Amino acid sequence: MAKLIVSDVDVKDKKVLIRVDFNVPIKNGVIGNDNRMVAALPTIKYVTDNGGKAILLSHLGRIKSDEDKKALSLRPVAEHLSELLGKDVEFVPVNEGAELEAAINDMKDGDVILMENTRFQDIDNDFGKRESKNDPKLGEYWASLGDVYVNDAFGTAHRAHASNVGIATAMKAANKPAAAGFLMEKEIKFLGDAVDNPVHPFVTILGGAKVSDKIGVIENLIPKSDHILIGGGMAYTFLAAQGHEIGKSLFEADKVELAKELLEKAGDKIVLPVDNVAAVEFSNDAKHEVVGVNIPEGEMGLDIGPKTIALFKDILKDAKTVVWNGPMGAFEMSNYAEGTLEVGRALGNLTDARTIIGGGDSAAAAIQLGIADKISHISTGGGASLEYLEGKELPGIAAISNK
Ligand code: AMP
């Protein structure tokens, strides 16, 4: 069912509650990677340019104590947003009560306010985690503050919180619109098309530490993909399932049977490393070498090897849809980064394909390579994009009004 988009709704003179994902890294008040903020700008600008009042809500980190509250205030985020938008953003240091309500009442069309971290509601009350456990009263309260709700926080769409599912539910109950923002729309379009309607050949690339994190994705994408390329730590459980020696590489003993089943189900769709970079220790300074498919005793596989890189690139060159989630090795260490960087370069070189990167480490690799603008879509949600690729319905999306 097509979802209502912010551009379908009249925002002029309206109080528009926008749930953004400003969960950005902050150290000593300074914001690190602000991609998620930049990605939310089109929706905020659309609302203010069309005469709406933008009332922003976001979580930041996890709040378990008063100490956390000091470290995880959204105040520096409001300052940075003001720079990004080139206009004043009023920070309201609470997210409930008279001070917030007065600030909203004083807003003029085109104004922007950011209220304090929604997860401050997770402590110091009778309910417990009011935001993260979706206290319906909190969703109702926030919904009462606006005329229109817009959810642009794809990164939290796999969770049912008061600021996404709670508000949307209360808005709909009050016959008020709960729409998707442009970032949410883009995420649904790219991930949805890849999963439901891929142009073939469709190549899925999976890596990262654990098989257990990616089982759902593999199961859902085996029938849809033409090839599933597997690298990273998770590859070694599959190689072990095939009877190869894996030395002291990452290994999930309780997933070997499942790996065997998946290999059987996938036929020759699953492509595993044919060579590896192996080291004696998990360290960039450790003695390392290129080895074949078997890892010598006492060594661990930390990257895919040059033959595997060539094999993966050869498969990728004809791809028309590519989904990539997870690094091909311990890429934070320069000696084991080549596989991940080469896969990123191969994606960047595809001019006639839809290329999609699930958030997290693979997105970081694309940015490090400076090829982010050559990728069709880099998801802003790691966990959310994985659950989407698993074929699950995400509660944050389900709660948005249908057209
Ligand atoms: P994930 O969070 O599951 O995407 O895993 C990412 C992490 O897996 C990164 O920190 C990588 O360093 C790590 N990783 C990838 N490949 C390997 C490997 N072969 N051995 C150990 N760690 C790895």
Side-chain angles (χ1 to χ4, degrees), residues 76 109 221:
D109 292 350
L221 295 186

Side-chain angles (χ1 to χ4, degrees), residues 74-95:
L74 280 173
R75 186 183 291 278
V77 173
E79 284 162 17
H80 188 60
L81 179 64
S82 175
E83 283 165 29
L84 291 175
L85 284 171
K87 67 190 289 179
D88 279 349
V89 172
E90 183 184 351
F91 175 69
V92 182
V94 292
N95 55 38

